[in-house]
Amino acid sequence: MAVEGRSGHKDLSNKSKEQSGLMDMHPRHRQRGTAGTKGRTRTPHPGTETTQSRNKATSYLSPANVKVGTTLIIVAIIEKLFFVKALDKRIWILLYVAAFVGVLHWGYISALFENDRHFSHLSTLEREMAFRTEMGLYYSFFKSIIEAPSYLSGLLFIMNDNVTEYPSVINTLKRFNVYPEVILAGLFRIYTSTMSVVGIETKTCWTVNRGNELSPVESCEGLGDPAYFYVTLIFILNGLMMSLFYIYGTYLSGSRFGGLMTVLCFFYNHGESTRVMWTPPLRESFSYPFLVLQMFILTYILRTPTPGRRSMLVLCVSNICFMLPWQFAQFVLLTQIASLFAIYIIGYLDSEKFLNILYTHMVSLGLCFILMFGNSMLLTSYYASSLVVICVIAISRNFLKLEKMALISWVLQVLIWIFGTVALKALTSMILGVRDDAHIFNILKSKFTSYKDFDTLMYTCAPEFDFMENETPWRYLKTLLLPVVILVFLAICVRTLKDILTSSRKKHTRGQDNESWEHSTSGELVYHALQLVAFAVLAILIMRLKLFLTPHMCVMASLLCSRPLFGWIFSRLNRPLFIFIVVILMSIQGVSNIQTQLNIKGEFSNIAQEELLEWIKFSTKPNAVFAGAMPTMASVKLSTGRPIVNHPHYEDAGLRARTKMVYSMYSRKHAKEVKKLLIDMGVQYFILEDAWCTRRTKTGCTMSEIWDIEDPSNVGKTPLCSILSKESLPHFVTLFQNNVYKVLKVGI
């Protein structure tokens, strides 16, 4: 969970605060003007092709051209995974529909992205500024590799990086989750070099007249442009994700109607399900599609009496692809292991299969540890500790199970799991000396107590880390997603309770054990119900995590079409008619939500930051060291290449301490004391932003109020940033200033 800054902006056109991406208090979009398309006009460079339509929002993506290719990819996956040698007609129909919805989603999020930013008319610098905060930090590593003399030299550069956390030299592959950028950079270099050899143009460049007395800029589009290539592949991946959702819903419910129900629910609740169309470079954009694949494979394993090794291999690979891009993946997998453990102890999952799943998770965790060059946070996570403890319980279950007192056995195993996991986590953290994830427990503690500290408030003052919005359940209700999921959940609970009571009755009357119902076909349904509860808890505690809850609710909605679960309804009502009526009722609000998203029209513009970055590039030395607000530092590193001392990736304990020292500029400390801290860190220039000094997302969340918790001795004094915004002398010298930024020279 990286810090993205805090926002005082109101929701934009039905975009919730965390989806809008407006997290650092700067103006982001200029509304479209009347002169030309979106207020900008452009002229082709001499000698370039001009056949592409500029009014076509997704001209650079052309999703329809890859529908067949998408189908073939899905076919290959199905054949390899499920040992299918010849697909029958029904499966071909399934795959064609999956390809169609995948391409549809690709085109949809591409259109939303273009409409929101007018990306096709932005210059290279503007596109980089559009990747603000954490996004800009990640994209900078992609840029470093593609601009290096060779792919290997670029890779070595980011593995020995002294720019991101000056003066420290860090291995970014170990510290950050940047394997997506490494892979995309390699693909980009291969693509551009191949196209160059065969003589195919990869991009078209234009001169864009921005109006409002702004200077014209060059704008290029096509896969030969780095930013276009980057976002296009992200959108393709998330298009494939929608294809997976359709197949997943179909398989889980046993009906193609179920697959369509999942897709429709996702589109109708799109604003609550994903934010890839607003913030493509975020880690979830790369990681979440592989969680969908992983849960689909897990469902197949749970449903299949004897899954083969190939299924476990695919589960392992999907685990790795989910964990490598995103540091939060381990917490999601922890909830998955907990849900599987629950269905295991009540008898829905046999020991052999459960242990195979656990071993697969362990192998994938170990491989991620190796690929991330020994990132100790993986080994000291609750996920790793939980795997070990549950594995020990499963192996020694014969000693723990109390045949005549099943409830006591369940409670005993759960208590052993909880206390064992916490103890092992504490022990491994102490042995390895890791405190990088200590703030996570503090964040949770602050949700239920009055506990506060600097790092905790940096998270909890951000809207996306607050509790779920009160409006969110109402949005679910209006599209009927919530009532449908509640109905499905209750049906599963009733069925599970009947299974447990029946098994208990047989055990007492006939002396049977649980083996007669361990392989119940409803085991995967119970898992999905428990996973829904886990995701709901996460989403309620942290609003940002509803991006796990809503898609899972869409998958659960597919079970409304399940004959085994709702055969009692379909025996009385015509099944297609019943589903059609439900879809019609959902569409009343769902279609309106889609129209609202499509009507979001904007144009990215941040002139103040553009002036700042241009000044830095032309007025400072390449090795000049900068400090300032985390979102701005990401842009400085990306667009100017200057060394920075802090950035938005807040997971490292050392980085948190360093950022705290940098943010002392917004405390009530004396200027002389703050200046000494900055000089000791090697800072040469500080970028002061008045918005960071005065803004307040809620009570107690201005920077000075946050500092009052850490520095009570200075409470009541005027914040240093307020003093420096008026006069920087005698401790600092102002070198650049506009209406947003002020660059101070540290040391005279």
Side-chain angles (χ1 to χ4, degrees):
M1 297 183 292
V3 171
E4 298 180 16
R6 302 187 304 282
S7 173
H9 286 264
K10 296 182 179 180
D11 292 0
L12 297 179
S13 303
N14 203 37
K15 286 195 288 184
S16 61
K17 293 181 179 67
E18 85 282 6
Q19 291 163 342
S20 68
L22 304 182
M23 295 299 174
D24 53 1
M25 278 299 291
H26 298 317
R28 289 309 177 203
H29 296 88
R30 184 172 62 250
Q31 292 302 312
R32 299 182 185 186
T34 57
T37 306
K38 297 188 181 180
R40 295 192 180 203
T41 59
R42 40 184 217 178
T43 306
H45 285 185
T48 61
E49 298 180 7
T50 61
T51 55
Q52 297 177 353
S53 170
R54 296 305 292 174
N55 295 323
K56 192 173 182 181
T58 58
S59 61
Y60 61 96
L61 295 177
S62 303
N65 295 334
V66 297
K67 181 177 177 181
V68 174
T70 304
T71 306
L72 294 177
I73 292 174
I74 298 172
V75 168
I77 294 174
I78 296 293
E79 289 180 343
K80 293 294 184 181
L81 175 59
F82 297 106
F83 308 96
V84 178
K85 296 183 179 180
L87 300 179
D88 62 26
K89 183 178 179 180
R90 289 178 301 175
I91 296 182
W92 275 108
I93 293 175
L94 171 75
L95 297 180
Y96 272 118
V97 176
F100 172 76
V101 298
V103 172
L104 182 65
H105 190 239
W106 174 14
Y108 183 67
I109 58 179
S110 300
L112 292 178
F113 182 70
E114 170 65 17
N115 288 344
D116 186 49
R117 283 173 173 75
H118 205 185
F119 202 68
S120 60
H121 282 55
L122 299 182
S123 67
T124 298
L125 178 59
E126 288 174 316
R127 287 170 182 167
E128 290 178 353
M129 290 191 298
F131 297 146
R132 51 195 171 270
T133 68
E134 181 187 359
M135 298 184 288
L137 177 67
Y138 294 128
Y139 183 77
S140 69
F141 301 118
F142 171 79
K143 181 181 178 181
S144 296
I145 296 177
I146 65 173
E147 291 185 348
S150 67
Y151 178 77
L152 182 59
S153 62
L155 189 60
L156 291 175
F157 174 77
I158 68 170
M159 291 174 64
N160 298 275
D161 184 353
N162 66 343
V163 175
T164 305
E165 293 182 9
Y166 181 89
S168 302
V169 177
I170 61 173
N171 180 352
T172 58
L173 290 180
K174 179 179 180 179
R175 278 289 310 280
F176 311 125
N177 301 79
V178 294
Y179 268 98
E181 281 67 29
V182 172
I183 295 172
L184 289 183
L187 293 176
F188 179 79
R189 295 185 74 111
I190 293 172
Y191 170 76
T192 52
S193 60
T194 302
M195 294 299 102
S196 177
V197 170
V198 299
I200 298 177
E201 293 290 336
T202 59
K203 62 181 178 180
T204 302
C205 296
W206 311 73
T207 298
V208 177
N209 180 12
R210 298 189 288 175
N212 298 327
E213 300 182 354
L214 297 174
S215 60
V217 294
E218 181 184 80
S219 176
C220 298
E221 64 174 347
L223 292 178
D225 180 82
Y228 264 104
F229 184 91
Y230 187 81
V231 299
T232 298
L233 264 65
I234 293 174
F235 292 154
I236 290 174
L237 177 62
N238 283 266
L240 287 171
M241 178 191 71
M242 187 57 66
S243 299
L244 273 173
F245 267 125
Y246 173 74
I247 298 173
Y248 188 180
T250 300
Y251 182 74
L252 181 64
S253 64
S255 167
R256 288 197 293 270
F257 289 127
L260 290 174
M261 180 71 76
T262 298
V263 171
L264 284 175
C265 288
F266 194 99
F267 272 99
Y268 288 168
N269 299 273
H270 201 269
E272 308 297 320
S273 300
T274 181
R275 54 180 182 171
V276 64
M277 59 284 187
W278 316 130
T279 54
L282 289 185
R283 300 300 85 186
E284 67 215 39
S285 302
F286 296 100
S287 183
Y288 186 74
F290 292 102
L291 177 63
V292 178
L293 174 62
Q294 193 261 9
M295 292 183 67
F296 171 51
I297 301 304
L298 182 61
T299 302
Y300 169 78
I301 292 172
L302 293 176
R303 181 172 290 182
T304 305
T306 55
R309 291 183 179 179
R310 189 175 300 187
S311 301
M312 292 298 177
L313 177 61
V314 177
L315 180 66
C316 180
V317 172
S318 58
N319 274 352
I320 294 172
C321 292
F322 175 51
M323 282 191 284
L324 276 184
W326 199 9
Q327 67 273 16
F328 189 78
Q330 56 179 290
F331 299 101
V332 177
L333 293 177
L334 172 63
T335 67
Q336 182 178 98
I337 292 300
S339 301
L340 291 172
F341 181 54
I343 68 172
Y344 164 71
I345 62 176
I346 62 177
Y348 276 99
L349 184 59
D350 64 85
S351 298
E352 182 180 358
K353 185 187 293 185
F354 185 46
L355 284 172
N356 286 337
I357 294 173
L358 292 177
Y359 295 151
T360 302
H361 274 268
M362 289 180 175
V363 170
S364 59
L365 179 64
L367 290 174
C368 284
F369 177 75
I370 294 172
L371 289 171
M372 294 194 70
F373 297 87
N375 188 321
S376 54
M377 279 188 66
L378 293 174
L379 294 186
T380 60
S381 64
Y382 285 103
Y383 168 54
S385 299
S386 183
L387 281 175
V388 173
V389 173
I390 291 178
C391 190
V392 171
I393 293 175
I395 292 174
S396 57
R397 188 177 182 184
N398 290 335
F399 299 99
L400 297 171
K401 184 166 64 175
L402 306 176
E403 294 292 340
K404 295 183 179 180
M405 305 179 71
L407 181 60
I408 294 179
S409 171
W410 299 346
V411 173
L412 179 62
Q413 291 176 77
V414 170
L415 291 177
I416 292 174
W417 166 60
I418 293 175
F419 289 107
T421 298
V422 173
L424 184 58
K425 152 71 177 170
L427 180 63
T428 54
S429 296
M430 182 180 65
I431 293 175
L432 297 177
V434 175
R435 292 189 53 81
D436 292 340
D437 57 353
H439 63 296
I440 296 173
F441 176 76
N442 291 336
I443 292 173
L444 294 177
K445 183 166 67 172
S446 70
K447 296 284 185 178
F448 305 103
T449 68
S450 59
Y451 177 81
K452 296 178 182 178
D453 64 22
F454 183 88
D455 294 328
T456 299
L457 288 171
M458 289 299 293
Y459 279 101
T460 57
C461 284
E464 69 270 27
F465 287 98
D466 204 348
F467 288 103
M468 178 189 286
E469 297 170 303
N470 294 330
E471 296 84 0
T472 299
W474 177 242
R475 295 185 190 121
Y476 293 149
L477 185 64
K478 288 195 289 186
T479 59
L480 294 189
L481 179 62
L482 185 60
V484 167
V485 170
I486 290 177
L487 177 62
V488 170
F489 181 78
L490 291 177
I492 295 174
C493 290
V494 170
R495 182 173 174 175
T496 303
L497 184 60
K498 287 182 178 178
D499 281 344
I500 294 175
L501 292 176
T502 300
S503 173
S504 178
R505 191 179 304 114
K506 288 182 178 180
K507 181 189 296 185
H508 283 87
T509 58
R510 303 180 186 179
Q512 294 179 354
D513 58 18
N514 288 344
E515 291 298 322
S516 60
W517 67 293
E518 275 190 337
H519 303 292
S520 170
T521 54
S522 58
E524 70 276 8
L525 301 186
V526 180
Y527 158 71
H528 279 82
L530 292 173
Q531 189 69 73
L532 177 69
V533 173
F535 284 160
V537 171
L538 291 178
I540 291 172
L541 292 177
I542 300 176
M543 178 175 63
R544 179 178 181 178
L545 301 184
K546 68 182 177 181
L547 302 177
F548 290 112
L549 172 63
T550 313
H552 192 66
M553 291 175 69
C554 297
V555 172
M556 293 290 287
S558 70
L559 290 170
L560 186 67
C561 308
S562 171
R563 288 187 184 276
L565 201 58
F566 290 102
W568 55 277
I569 293 180
F570 301 142
S571 63
R572 296 172 175 81
L573 297 175
N574 181 277
R575 181 175 173 232
L577 179 61
F578 172 76
I579 296 171
F580 178 75
I581 293 173
V582 172
V583 169
I584 290 297
L585 294 175
M586 286 182 167
S587 301
I588 296 173
Q589 181 62 40
V591 172
S592 176
N593 289 346
I594 293 175
Q595 291 174 341
T596 300
Q597 281 198 320
L598 291 173
N599 287 334
I600 296 175
K601 308 293 182 182
E603 184 174 278
F604 179 85
S605 181
N606 192 345
I607 303 303
Q609 189 175 88
E610 184 176 338
E611 293 173 348
L612 170 69
L613 297 175
E614 293 287 359
W615 180 86
I616 292 175
K617 286 195 287 187
F618 295 109
S619 302
T620 63
K621 297 179 180 179
N623 61 350
V625 182
F626 283 80
M630 290 183 285
T632 305
M633 289 301 98
S635 295
V636 169
K637 178 185 183 299
L638 169 60
S639 299
T640 71
R642 300 301 191 266
I644 58 176
V645 300
N646 63 312
H647 53 73
H649 196 277
Y650 211 57
E651 304 308 302
D652 180 71
L655 192 278
R656 292 197 295 272
R658 167 188 298 237
T659 298
K660 185 176 178 180
M661 288 191 288
V662 170
Y663 279 18
S664 61
M665 186 67 82
Y666 298 100
S667 70
R668 305 180 194 271
K669 297 179 183 292
H670 192 273
K672 184 176 181 180
E673 181 182 353
V674 174
K675 177 181 176 180
K676 184 179 184 303
L677 286 173
L678 296 176
I679 291 176
D680 291 343
M681 296 173 67
V683 176
Q684 298 173 347
Y685 300 91
F686 189 95
I687 301 177
L688 185 68
E689 301 175 53
D690 187 59
W692 277 77
C693 189
T694 58
R695 67 183 178 180
R696 173 188 284 181
T697 55
K698 56 184 179 181
T699 303
C701 283
T702 62
M703 286 304 304
S704 58
E705 290 172 327
I706 293 175
W707 265 105
D708 288 343
I709 303 296
E710 294 288 326
D711 188 20
S713 61
N714 286 315
V715 172
K717 296 181 180 179
T718 303
L720 176 59
C721 54
S722 298
I723 297 173
L724 296 178
S725 64
K726 299 175 182 178
E727 178 56 63
S728 58
L729 292 174
H731 299 286
F732 302 94
V733 176
T734 301
L735 299 180
F736 170 86
Q737 184 172 2
N738 60 21
N739 62 329
V740 176
Y741 302 98
K742 188 174 188 178
V743 179
L744 304 178
K745 180 76 166 65
V746 180
I748 302 177

